[in-house]
């Protein structure tokens, strides 16, 4: 099967159709229109088999995750997603695999009203590159660089589940049957926090999505904003599956360091805390306050109640 | 070296800076602004080592070609290029290679005032995915689908050189020393026809770039437009290097079927021929009339002077 037949069969026909797409798949380029008063927000992420997901990951999950990690980046900027471009590198044309992959793609694109506007299929080891685009009202994009001392630190959802899910799948963690499905889904079918991102536009001072683990991604905010932070490890939001499966220290370790959760980490000034609570409640989404930004540049202090929390043999994490 | 250090060292610092980029490399996403009255034009192309370029291709050429093939797609729509996103899959961090690669990137992005606004570096077999974006005034994008019977068929530059260059490099073609540099450059450092593309906006009825070979890409225009064409093989523009290196029949074969030339193939109505000549002359670019569109849907007839030209044992090429 030739490349264009592939694209036609599995991707063009099934894609959600948007009115702002003048020309979609099928010409040299797509032609699309950005609404007036909006900036365009662009991100690119590549997932490589065996590096970013285990080689036996189902095709539907590969597609879901590839789309979700990109939408998660858009969410971290407060953007509303609109269009995707897909580069799919596959070792051979397995129609069953492609069928499952394109269904995984369709599920998320339909849900978020996002249209696949183009792409490329090439022969090689399995890898998926997606460029996702969306809009944000001009000058309302959330960044990593505007956290200020005194701001409160929040995170959506629960932390560490994807990491525990990976360890479960690879036989490194023992999980009760009733939690296996939840953790497997947290690993393979992450939920990009698109709605929360748009809600945070006028409320948060900074925002990032947690892809590399809380400490690492918080580090990006601290470095970009020139601040430090105090983090309350006893406040870290943990799922029931996490609490049932591992001890307290181990749970904190997952929550601090495991990647792939795609929750949003953001800062809010004291004055905006009320607005945040209102907005989250009316949208039925939850976020947990886990600490506070301070002026000690590039230092992260972990606390458990009133005590300093020792982690990796040190109470501080340093970022340059 | 970590991913963000890599991006910082080789890509962020060296990138051309544009005023329409509000946030470039360094946050979760880029934030950019599309000028009012313009549509956004988007394309994605992946080049895989050993598939789209020989494994021993210099890093500077890999970068040049990856950018050029994407800018060529934009040119085929009549778009002015603006931004690139890069996903670079490399097997290991070879600083010399990255240095050469980023210089190759810089040369083209500087020349066309294009900014690298983001990307991803991952570990795996060498592959480069670029998403290129540009603008075209609303409703002026060139497509493949509006060629009409009676329109004249044109092509920029000369044809088949990249194919001959590849055969030269791989020892399948004997080329005189004085032509080796020219053909090597046509293969490794193709020129995207960006200026011609913008000139053609109000003049051409359809346009495509020749990446897969003249017959194949003309087939896309014929299929999309529901037309046929007559092609004069004695009019095909051939370089001096081509004419000196192979016989007449072989040269026609290269010109008809070899890919990677990235010339523009376009159609112009009888009424616009004068405007085309004027515009090409004032921009000092050349294009050659090589045939005419007719109403015989999906059929390509090859002629040599007044005679039918037999090719692959048949005078017709069929497209569905």
């Amino acid at each position: 099967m030739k490349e264009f037949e592939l694209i036609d069969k599995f991707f063009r026909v099934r894609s959600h159709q948007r009115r702002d797409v003048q020309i979609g798949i099928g010409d040299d380029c797509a032609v699309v229109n950005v609404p007036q008063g909006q900036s365009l927000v662009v991100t690119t992420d590549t997932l490589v088999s065996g590096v970013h997901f285990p080689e036996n990951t189902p095709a539907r999950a590969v597609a879901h995750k590839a789309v979700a990690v990109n939408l998660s980046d858009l969410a971290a900027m407060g953007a509303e997603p609109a269009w995707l471009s897909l580069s799919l590198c596959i070792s051979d044309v397995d129609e069953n695999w492609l069928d499952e992959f394109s269904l995984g793609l369709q599920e998320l694109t339909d849900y978020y009203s996002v249209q696949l506007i183009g792409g490329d299929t090439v022969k090689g080891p399995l890898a998926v590159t997606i460029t996702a685009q969306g809009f944000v009202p001009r000058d309302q994009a959330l960044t990593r660089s505007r956290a200020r001392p005194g701001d409160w630190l929040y995170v959506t959802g629960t932390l560490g589940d994807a990491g525990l899910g990976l360890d479960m799948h690879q036989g490194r963690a023992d999980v009760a049957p009733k939690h296996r499905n939840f953790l497997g889904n947290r690993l393979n079918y992450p939920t990009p926090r698109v709605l929360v991102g748009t809600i945070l536009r006028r409320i948060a001072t900074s925002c990032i999505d947690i892809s590399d683990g809380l400490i690492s991604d918080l580090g990006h905010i601290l470095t970009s904003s020139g601040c430090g932070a105090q983090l309350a490890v006893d406040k870290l939001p943990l799922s029931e599956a996490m609490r049932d499966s591992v001890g307290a220290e181990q749970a904190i370790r997952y929550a601090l360091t495991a990647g792939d959760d795609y929750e949003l980490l953001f800062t809010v000034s004291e004055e905006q805390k009320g607005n945040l609570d209102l907005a989250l409640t009316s949208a039925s989404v939850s976020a947990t306050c886990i600490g506070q930004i301070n002026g000690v540049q590039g230092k992260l202090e972990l606390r458990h109640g009133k005590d300093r929390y020792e982690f990796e043999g040190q109470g501080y994490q340093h970022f340059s």
Side-chain angles (χ1 to χ4, degrees), chain A:
Chain A
M1 193 182 285
K2 287 179 186 170
E3 181 193 324
F4 20 93
E5 291 170 3
L6 254 179
I7 292 169
D8 234 49
K9 178 166 179 190
F10 291 106
F11 298 115
R12 175 154 49 171
V13 179
R14 285 178 178 169
S15 177
H16 178 86
Q17 304 293 313
R18 288 175 61 97
R19 285 201 194 164
D20 52 19
V21 176
Q22 237 173 283
I23 300 176
I25 294 173
D27 215 302
D28 289 289
C29 302
V31 178
V32 294
N33 293 311
V34 176
Q36 234 184 314
Q38 308 269 316
S39 290
L40 183 70
V41 183
V42 188
T43 186
T44 296
D45 263 306
T46 299
L47 303 187
V48 179
S49 178
V51 179
H52 300 92
F53 55 87
E55 280 168 14
N56 59 358
T57 303
R60 191 178 140 243
V62 173
H64 182 107
K65 198 159 184 172
V67 174
V69 301
N70 278 283
L71 297 190
S72 178
D73 279 325
L74 292 181
M77 306 295 285
E80 173 195 334
W83 313 304
L84 300 180
S85 306
L86 165 72
S87 166
L88 181 59
C89 187
I90 43 177
S91 53
D92 50 39
V93 177
D94 173 341
E95 295 213 14
N96 287 332
W97 192 94
L98 280 166
D99 193 45
E100 286 297 308
F101 182 89
S102 83
L103 286 174
L105 200 73
Q106 192 183 6
E107 283 165 5
L108 267 191
T109 53
D110 279 357
Y111 185 80
Y112 289 106
S113 301
V114 166
Q115 183 168 343
L116 183 69
I117 58 169
D120 202 3
T121 51
V122 297
K123 192 175 163 61
L126 180 59
V128 187
T129 298
I130 286 181
T131 298
Q133 309 205 63
F135 322 129
V136 69
R138 207 159 284 199
D139 300 319
Q140 286 187 29
L142 296 166
T143 69
R144 304 172 173 183
S145 58
R146 290 182 204 141
R148 293 291 168 263
D151 286 355
W152 297 98
L153 193 60
Y154 283 82
V155 68
T156 58
T158 54
L159 294 176
D161 298 323
L164 178 56
L166 183 64
D167 283 350
M168 171 189 84
H169 271 318
Q170 301 190 335
R172 291 190 299 266
D174 195 25
V175 172
K178 67 171 177 173
H179 294 312
R180 297 184 67 85
N181 202 33
F182 169 80
L183 292 173
N185 284 340
R186 289 284 282 165
L187 173 66
N188 281 333
Y189 300 94
T191 304
R193 298 295 182 186
V194 172
L195 176 62
V196 185
T198 60
I199 285 174
L200 293 177
R201 277 176 198 162
R202 290 155 178 275
I203 294 174
T205 52
S206 72
C207 187
I208 194 170
D209 71 322
I210 303 181
S211 52
D212 297 333
L214 175 60
I215 286 182
S216 171
D217 290 311
L218 175 56
H220 292 309
I221 287 184
L222 300 185
T223 303
S224 300
S225 299
C227 297
Q230 207 177 66
L231 190 68
V233 298
D234 51 317
K235 300 281 175 61
L236 293 172
L238 303 174
S239 65
E240 193 191 335
M242 176 68 78
R243 283 181 276 113
D244 283 3
S245 305
V246 300
E249 285 219 14
Q250 182 66 5
I252 288 172
R253 177 172 297 273
Y254 275 116
L256 289 175
T257 62
D260 273 359
D261 279 327
Y262 303 101
E263 298 295 345
L264 293 186
L265 176 70
F266 58 96
T267 55
V268 174
S269 69
E270 176 67 29
E271 299 74 47
Q272 288 289 334
K273 275 188 89 168
N275 283 337
L276 175 70
D277 287 342
L278 258 174
L280 292 177
T281 306
S282 69
S284 299
V285 291
S286 75
T288 310
C289 184
I290 58 171
Q292 193 170 22
I293 300 295
N294 60 41
V296 190
Q297 196 176 327
K299 280 191 183 170
L300 173 62
E301 192 185 353
L302 304 180
R303 311 285 298 191
H304 192 296
K306 289 182 179 163
D307 304 322
R308 179 171 293 181
Y309 186 78
E310 299 294 330
F311 185 72
E312 307 267 31
Q314 55 177 31
Y316 287 107
Q317 308 289 328
H318 298 257
F319 304 100
S320 59

